[in-house]
Amino acid sequence: MKSAAAPADAAVPLGRAAGGRAARSSLLRGLPLLPSLVLLAVFLAGPILYCVYDAFTDAQLTGAAETHFVGLANFTRAFGDPDFLNALWLTLVFVVGSAVVGQNTLGLSLAVLAEKATRPVRSLTNGVVIAAWVLPEIVAGYLMYAFFYQQGSLNDVLDLLGLPRQNWLYTLPILAVCLANVWRGTAFSMMVYSAALNEVPRDLLEAAEMDGAGVWHRLWHITLPVIRRTIMTNLMLITLQTLSVFGLVYAMTRGGPGNKSQTLPVFMYQQAFQNSLIGYGTAIALVLLVVGALFSVVYLKLLKVEED
């Protein structure tokens, strides 16, 4: 009995040794990632944690020698501030109008139409649309300012058509920045949907056409159900992109006139760097982060429902 038990007892150290070698091997394989992890911790995680801390303080750029912890005072102040609530509402209008409705719908429409167009027309359309997307945000903002300005290109076109001029940046500033963001960002949705449409089974579309299904019937009952996961993914991406748009709005209107186009990124910038209220501005940035997280949760839930 003793001689039979010896190999079983010896197997335990052997197993531990093998496990130790596997752990050391995994550690060595992960060692090259260590510099990247350090850089991420120093330049990404560190500033993020510091900003989270600042949101609960009365930190200021000027005028205060010391910083004090104030708890939820900045958030209480924000949700009691009519200007903040106005900025929150305009941000939702901007996101829904220019991303969910504008970029998403126009991008899908252009992708569908480009499939039926000739190659020269498709190339020209893609070039024009993508040119707006590759422009730096601040450059696109100045171009749209020149387009919507009272003495700008749009009013010159209205003059040629015999229509009255409009002061777009004064009377309808949030509409102007929404249209500018649609113009600049549609290319992303168009490229996403162009790739997705290539995955729609052609034999299924041809069979539906032979059965007498029209263009809209095929689009609604075949194409859209097939690419529905792409639609949800695209909506999530362009929503998060639009939530962070600052340069375009600031270059066109600076949030004005008054606060008629003051979205949360602009309001945050004004509070933090113009009014020197770093703590309050950082708290607004955290609220913006939460808004983006809520949108993401909704889209992810919808994606999960589609998978089930």
Side-chain angles (χ1 to χ4, degrees), residues 10 19 133 138 140 142 185 240 242 244:
W133 186 50
I138 192 70
Y142 278 118
L240 296 179
T242 303
S244 63

Side-chain angles (χ1 to χ4, degrees), residues 155-198:
N155 280 329
D156 289 341
V157 173
L158 293 178
D159 283 341
L160 291 175
L161 298 175
L163 299 174
R165 284 175 168 261
Q166 300 290 329
N167 193 351
W168 302 96
L169 298 178
Y170 184 80
T171 57
L172 297 168
I174 192 64
L175 176 61
V177 296
C178 281
L179 293 175
N181 194 52
V182 171
W183 169 75
R184 181 176 182 269
T186 294
F188 179 82
S189 296
M190 185 187 72
M191 290 188 293
V192 169
Y193 288 133
S194 294
L197 290 175
N198 290 329

